[in-house]
Amino acid sequence: MTLTASQLAARDGRLTASRVACLMTGDAEKILNLWRDMVGDPTFVPDDLSGVWPVQLGVATEHLNLSWYARKTGRALTRCGAVVIHPKADWAAATLDAWDDALPGPVEAKHVGGREPLATVVARYQPQIHWQMIVSEARQAAFTIIEGSNEPVIENVPFDERYAAELWSRGEAFMACVRTLTPPVASAAV
């Protein structure tokens, strides 16, 4: 999804779902780059994803993916593109692809190459999906995945208390580094 000016403004200064994966993988360079962005470090250079085919393919197919989800489940989707802010921690936010009131919970849509096991894809997006559930206080999410040119597969993602607690803890520690202007130290991968 290409973010609008109002979505960008709502996300400004907040740790968002699309950015938390590095906290769980322990990728020190990505964590430091995220910190540079959030503290306004002049050496920060944003990634230019405009020429990255897989990213642009996902942007182009997201609406179709979500429409297919609604068609297959028979449920209307709401809150498409809504920026949700955690009710008790205004530094935590998520931009939803959509919301399924029947779950109730977020719906995350991705388009992947289809050259790796589905379990690997689901694991890669656990931080983003769990952050959405944490911020929206949902107990489950739906993950609709286009693999190559295949019809989307819908995976139910239940809330994992232990995983969510670790993710939240790492988010809090990271934001403490942002507030104190202290470069973060990466934790081990989960």
Side-chain angles (χ1 to χ4, degrees), residues 160-181:
D160 181 325
E161 293 281 352
R162 213 173 99 229
Y163 185 89
E166 181 64 26
L167 177 58
W168 187 256
S169 174
R170 290 179 184 215
E172 285 181 316
F174 176 80
M175 289 306 290
C177 291
V178 169
R179 284 190 294 280
T180 62
L181 302 176

Side-chain angles (χ1 to χ4, degrees), residues 126-172:
Q126 281 298 333
Q128 182 174 3
I129 294 168
H130 264 77
W131 196 258
Q132 291 174 3
M133 287 189 282
I134 290 167
V135 169
S136 66
E137 298 186 312
R139 304 307 291 167
Q140 61 183 326
F143 187 20
T144 177
I145 310 151
I146 299 172
E147 296 177 287
S149 63
N150 295 325
E151 180 176 327
V153 174
I154 300 169
E155 289 288 313
N156 182 49
V157 181
F159 190 79
D160 181 325
E161 293 281 352
R162 213 173 99 229
Y163 185 89
E166 181 64 26
L167 177 58
W168 187 256
S169 174
R170 290 179 184 215
E172 285 181 316

Side-chain angles (χ1 to χ4, degrees), residues 113-132:
R115 295 184 187 98
E116 57 193 345
L118 184 60
T120 301
V121 174
V122 173
R124 179 170 47 249
Y125 291 104
Q126 281 298 333
Q128 182 174 3
I129 294 168
H130 264 77
W131 196 258
Q132 291 174 3

